[in-house]
Amino acid sequence: MKRTKETKFFYGWVIVGCLFLISLLPMTFISSFYSYYQMPICEEFGCSYVEFSISNSTSTIAGMLFSLTLAGKISKGNTRLYMLFGGLVSALALLAQSSITAVWQLYITFFIVNFTLSAITYVPINFLISQWFIDKKGLITSIVFTGSGIGGMLFSGFIAGIIANQGWRAGFRLTALITAVTIVVVCFLIRKSPAEMGLEPYRSGKNNQQKQKTAAAGPGWDGLSKAEAIKTGAFWLYAACLIFCGIVAAGIFTQVPTYLIENGLDYAPVMALASLAMIIGKLIAGPLVDKLGIQKGIAITCLFGAIGLIILLLVPGMGAAAAFTSMLIIPLGTSITSVGPPLLTSKVFGNKEFGGIYGLGNTFFMGGCMIGPMLSSGIRTAVGSYTMAWIVFVIVFLALAGTAALAVKSGKTFQTAA
């Protein structure tokens, strides 16, 4: 039956809860805490940190391959089945990871973990949000992805204690159990679309009126196919925007601790403040986009990111004051890198083949994530300080805002022609 005024509860909120749970638990324990295993694994196997870090590259490649090969199938096929299979295989790979005897085995198991983990994270999460919500997508996306930030704050000490007291193998086994239980619960509750329950996607009261007018006028534009999208100039502007998103998402905070140490500061309290600001930033960015639109929302957040980096440049002279201030502001800019890409996808290309287009776009984002740390650390190595690196990242923030605006503008040409 369709949702009416008498039906007070909208099942879409259960979907939001399920997606938040994925972000809070598997995404946090697998991705956010992975660095905790570096020292004990390297000590046991006698390998270097560089050798350990290769596994991070294999995980990024795994995510890119998933986006290129299976992302579109999640939206077209049985989404729950893909998610259940991916989550359980990821848990089994984590279990195997707890029994490795050499570092090269870590590369293989972590590749499998992240390839299958992709079946329950960014692509399906954003696809389900696009199916269940017409309005408030920015707010919903923000709420869901704050799960990883909250999980990091809640469980950081817990998993660190497990690794310290019971060993890194126990940490992987616990993570496997958490992943398996979470995905079974989620897949029991989740539904691919409102139509499966005789419902309609969430709309605000204002847009319900607009929907009635649109329906009276006849069918409208529902989006482009993946094949149609990649032939447009808007797609390549969109791709460039996602590369810039990946660069700022991965290239700044990975280098800040070293930058602070070089300037005689304790990075721990500064990064703790940054973690809190990231949660707040995500909760601000989504509603900001809902309120002002994708172009203005991205522009404002990028402006905050650029200003924060300029303040970060002042650390050598101002010390801790500049460090803490910058870590309050920069996360307001980087928060758009998790909220912006899916919203930009639906804004420019519609929801007709959201999963396939966003999946392809996600490969560009991950490519940017690979470039970001190499860019910031490479500039530091080349010139001897981070000053030029932060200036370059100010330019990247501006380029991100510019390509997003141009992608939306270009997309309007084929939307109005439909």
Side-chain angles (χ1 to χ4, degrees), residues 170-318:
F172 282 139
R173 287 194 290 269
L174 175 64
T175 302
L177 178 63
I178 288 171
T179 301
V181 172
T182 301
I183 199 60
V184 169
V185 171
V186 164
C187 287
F188 177 76
L189 295 171
I190 216 160
R191 297 295 181 271
K192 180 177 179 178
S193 69
E196 290 186 7
M197 303 188 70
L199 301 173
E200 294 178 352
Y202 176 86
R203 291 180 172 87
S204 66
K206 178 181 177 180
N207 273 1
N208 272 326
Q209 297 175 2
Q210 181 62 40
K211 177 201 166 191
Q212 293 172 0
K213 292 179 182 179
T214 302
W221 184 77
D222 65 343
L224 298 182
S225 68
K226 178 180 172 181
E228 291 170 335
I230 61 177
K231 295 177 182 178
T232 66
F235 178 83
W236 299 105
L237 289 165
Y238 159 83
C241 179
L242 264 61
I243 290 173
F244 293 137
C245 278
I247 290 173
V248 299
I252 296 175
F253 292 111
T254 54
Q255 302 303 312
V256 167
T258 303
Y259 175 65
L260 296 178
I261 291 171
E262 289 181 350
N263 284 280
L265 299 175
D266 180 3
Y267 70 86
V270 179
M271 296 308 293
L273 178 64
S275 296
L276 178 61
M278 287 176 195
I279 296 173
I280 297 171
K282 289 178 183 178
L283 290 174
I284 291 174
L288 187 69
V289 170
D290 286 336
K291 181 71 174 179
L292 301 178
I294 190 74
Q295 290 169 290
K296 290 182 180 179
I298 290 179
I300 291 172
T301 53
C302 286
L303 181 60
F304 273 108
I307 292 172
L309 283 171
I310 291 170
I311 295 172
L312 190 62
L313 283 166
L314 303 178
V315 165
M318 295 179 60

Side-chain angles (χ1 to χ4, degrees), residues 68-259:
L68 285 171
T69 57
L70 295 178
K73 296 183 183 299
I74 283 184
S75 59
K76 293 179 180 179
N78 188 325
T79 303
R80 282 200 296 172
L81 185 60
Y82 274 107
M83 293 181 71
L84 180 63
F85 181 78
L88 292 179
V89 174
S90 187
L92 288 172
L94 281 163
L95 197 59
Q97 195 162 278
S98 71
S99 301
I100 61 172
T101 57
V103 70
W104 64 265
Q105 296 167 11
L106 180 67
Y107 307 154
I108 297 172
T109 54
F110 203 52
F111 178 91
I112 298 171
V113 166
N114 282 275
F115 185 86
T116 51
L117 183 71
S118 298
I120 69 172
T121 53
Y122 291 102
V123 172
I125 284 174
N126 287 302
F127 167 70
L128 288 166
I129 292 172
S130 73
Q131 292 294 104
W132 279 88
F133 291 87
I134 298 299
D135 294 327
K136 305 298 182 184
K137 285 183 182 178
L139 174 62
I140 299 305
T141 305
S142 292
I143 291 172
V144 168
F145 285 111
T146 55
S148 58
I150 294 172
M153 294 180 66
L154 290 178
F155 304 120
S156 177
F158 170 68
I159 191 65
I162 293 291
I163 294 171
N165 298 322
Q166 300 180 36
W168 60 269
R169 297 180 190 275
F172 282 139
R173 287 194 290 269
L174 175 64
T175 302
L177 178 63
I178 288 171
T179 301
V181 172
T182 301
I183 199 60
V184 169
V185 171
V186 164
C187 287
F188 177 76
L189 295 171
I190 216 160
R191 297 295 181 271
K192 180 177 179 178
S193 69
E196 290 186 7
M197 303 188 70
L199 301 173
E200 294 178 352
Y202 176 86
R203 291 180 172 87
S204 66
K206 178 181 177 180
N207 273 1
N208 272 326
Q209 297 175 2
Q210 181 62 40
K211 177 201 166 191
Q212 293 172 0
K213 292 179 182 179
T214 302
W221 184 77
D222 65 343
L224 298 182
S225 68
K226 178 180 172 181
E228 291 170 335
I230 61 177
K231 295 177 182 178
T232 66
F235 178 83
W236 299 105
L237 289 165
Y238 159 83
C241 179
L242 264 61
I243 290 173
F244 293 137
C245 278
I247 290 173
V248 299
I252 296 175
F253 292 111
T254 54
Q255 302 303 312
V256 167
T258 303
Y259 175 65

Side-chain angles (χ1 to χ4, degrees), residues 23-103:
S23 178
L24 179 74
L25 295 173
M27 286 179 65
T28 299
F29 275 82
I30 294 174
S31 300
S32 300
F33 298 152
Y34 186 64
S35 61
Y36 293 16
Y37 296 88
Q38 177 172 283
M39 183 176 291
I41 288 178
C42 288
E43 287 178 351
E44 180 168 333
F45 296 143
C47 62
S48 68
Y49 289 171
V50 173
E51 289 175 294
F52 178 90
S53 68
I54 293 173
S55 60
N56 284 307
S57 298
T58 65
S59 70
T60 303
I61 293 169
M64 294 174 72
L65 285 176
F66 179 90
S67 295
L68 285 171
T69 57
L70 295 178
K73 296 183 183 299
I74 283 184
S75 59
K76 293 179 180 179
N78 188 325
T79 303
R80 282 200 296 172
L81 185 60
Y82 274 107
M83 293 181 71
L84 180 63
F85 181 78
L88 292 179
V89 174
S90 187
L92 288 172
L94 281 163
L95 197 59
Q97 195 162 278
S98 71
S99 301
I100 61 172
T101 57
V103 70

